[in-house]
Amino acid sequence: MKPETAAPMMTIEQDPRWQAIVTRDKTADDRFIYAVRTTGIFCSPSCPSRLPLAGNVLFFANAEEALRAGYRPCKRCRQGRSTLAEEQAAKVALACRYIERADGIPPLAELARQAALSPFHFHRLFKSLTGLTPKAYAVAWRNQRVRRRLAESTRVTDAVLDAGFNSPGRFYAGSDALLGMTPTAYRAGGLGMDIVFAVGRCTLGDILVAQSARGICAILLGDDAQRLVEQLQDTFPQAVLAGDDEDFARRVALVVGFVDAPALGLDLPLDIRGTAFQQRVWQALREIPPGRTASYLDVAKRIGSPAAVRAVAGACAANMLAVAIPCHRVVRSDGALSGYRWGVERKRRLLDTEAKG
């Protein structure tokens, strides 16, 4: 009887895991990781780092095993660690929460120090992820807080101080630009504010045009005139809403003509209200000429915030001035039409009209 012979040992080159490393197989990333003896680093199979010598490779089931064995995570694939993008997002999120809890507007240096970054790099990172500078975010948050406090408080002074303003005087100095009316009127839902409005018809259906003392404050489109009026009432429940007069009727006719033929332009003052970020987006939209379109990413890049694509979409959805602020000219990156506050079909018709000149 012949003695049994031991099965030949499989070399590392024959190991399927080595082949996964050679081919940088991403599907193997969840099955194992490998470490390199000569560098003391461990990587995922798909890591783009230079291929090590097979004889220097060790296999581990996961990052925890490699860490216990004394190996360090690779800085390229960051196996076993959160990604750089995740770390940056976490730092900005913490900075946002800090701003929201602060009594005033925290200095840039203070925010950067907490994020363990230089003020320059923190400022650039914060703006790229939020679409706003740290100061603009703090101002927008404080403005939002004062609006909420005004709705809840019986005294304007209490609301102003609770929202983080150092003194009522500083708030009142800029309150008209912030609220579009006096703080007392805002707290009362537009009490004492006069808004003239009219409902009519255009090629896109029903249209409501409203004007405040500042200018045209709403151009709403829809299929139900009464619903359009309700939307205006919901925005300013205590404002004095008045029907149109002869002078305003001429303005409405100009707006209707503009909606039917946007290339004509609209030479009327607008009462544009929104956050600092929304104002930047809306200004960028107004710079898109009739007959042209831009993607949400294009708009985000134009305002210097390429990572704020979703925020750009949100600003488009918040627009109260149909066609005058041409959010219908914003499309998806592949050119397809996406959501539109007044319906995708209206968006399509507007773009078709502009394309024909």
Side-chain angles (χ1 to χ4, degrees):
M1 185 175 180
K2 294 182 178 179
E4 293 185 2
T5 57
M9 293 185 62
M10 180 173 60
T11 65
I12 192 168
E13 288 87 349
Q14 297 171 318
D15 192 315
R17 293 174 295 182
W18 172 250
Q19 295 304 315
I21 296 171
V22 172
T23 58
R24 306 193 192 283
D25 183 2
K26 290 185 178 181
T27 64
D29 287 350
D30 295 332
R31 299 201 299 267
F32 73 95
I33 62 172
Y34 73 93
V36 183
R37 292 187 180 91
T38 52
T39 63
I41 292 173
F42 64 89
C43 304
S44 58
S46 65
C47 180
S49 299
R50 183 178 178 180
L51 194 67
L53 294 175
N56 294 328
V57 169
L58 291 174
F59 296 114
F60 293 97
N62 51 51
E64 287 70 24
E65 285 189 7
L67 287 169
R68 286 196 296 270
Y71 290 92
R72 307 186 308 277
C74 170
K75 290 185 177 180
R76 296 196 66 178
C77 65
R78 304 181 67 83
Q79 180 65 39
R81 298 173 60 187
S82 59
T83 66
L84 179 59
E86 290 171 340
E87 291 179 2
Q88 291 177 335
K91 288 184 177 181
V92 170
L94 287 174
C96 290
R97 303 295 84 77
Y98 184 82
I99 291 171
E100 293 162 10
R101 292 191 300 268
D103 292 332
I105 299 178
L108 175 63
E110 181 180 336
L111 295 171
R113 183 171 58 254
Q114 291 201 347
L117 296 170
S118 70
F120 171 80
H121 285 97
F122 174 77
H123 187 278
R124 186 172 63 178
L125 174 64
F126 192 98
K127 185 176 180 181
S128 70
L129 293 181
T130 67
L132 296 171
T133 65
K135 182 177 181 180
Y137 183 90
V139 170
W141 173 258
R142 188 177 63 176
N143 292 347
Q144 177 182 337
R145 187 160 49 185
V146 78
R147 291 187 183 99
R148 187 170 61 249
R149 293 289 192 273
L150 284 169
E152 298 169 350
S153 177
T154 58
R155 297 182 61 221
V156 171
T157 299
D158 292 340
V160 169
L161 295 177
D162 288 345
F165 285 87
N166 295 329
S167 69
R170 294 191 59 142
F171 168 73
Y172 275 98
S175 64
D176 190 56
L178 164 61
L179 302 174
M181 63 193 86
T182 66
T184 302
Y186 185 92
R187 180 168 55 88
L191 182 63
M193 180 181 179
D194 294 327
I195 295 179
V196 182
F197 78 96
V199 177
R201 293 285 297 177
C202 66
T203 57
L204 298 175
D206 291 321
I207 181 171
L208 181 147
V209 181
Q211 176 179 289
S212 70
R214 293 169 175 263
I216 303 297
C217 60
I219 302 174
L220 308 180
L221 302 173
D223 299 313
D224 184 339
Q226 182 58 38
R227 180 59 189 142
L228 297 181
V229 175
E230 291 172 356
Q231 289 179 26
L232 186 66
Q233 291 173 329
D234 290 343
T235 304
F236 299 108
Q238 300 300 324
V240 177
L241 302 181
D244 60 320
D245 54 24
E246 184 177 347
D247 181 60
F248 184 63
R250 286 194 291 269
R251 292 197 167 200
V252 173
L254 288 175
V255 174
V256 171
F258 165 66
V259 170
D260 289 343
L264 295 176
L266 183 64
D267 189 19
L268 289 175
L270 300 178
D271 182 358
I272 302 174
R273 305 178 186 190
T275 66
F277 180 79
Q278 288 172 337
Q279 297 270 7
R280 289 166 56 206
V281 172
W282 295 339
Q283 180 56 41
L285 298 186
R286 297 178 71 189
E287 294 171 359
I288 304 173
R292 303 284 185 87
T293 60
S295 69
Y296 294 99
L297 178 58
D298 291 334
V299 176
K301 289 179 178 178
R302 290 186 189 189
I303 64 173
S305 305
V309 175
R310 289 187 178 180
V312 167
C316 291
N319 175 27
M320 288 279 288
L321 290 159
V323 189
I325 296 177
C327 52
H328 63 277
R329 294 176 191 154
V330 186
V331 298
R332 290 183 359 191
S333 297
D334 59 2
L337 302 188
S338 55
Y340 185 52
R341 178 170 182 165
W342 295 284
V344 173
E345 183 54 35
R346 286 190 177 88
K347 183 173 189 173
R348 188 188 314 279
R349 291 171 63 184
L350 279 166
L351 292 176
D352 289 343
T353 297
E354 293 182 353
K356 294 174 182 177

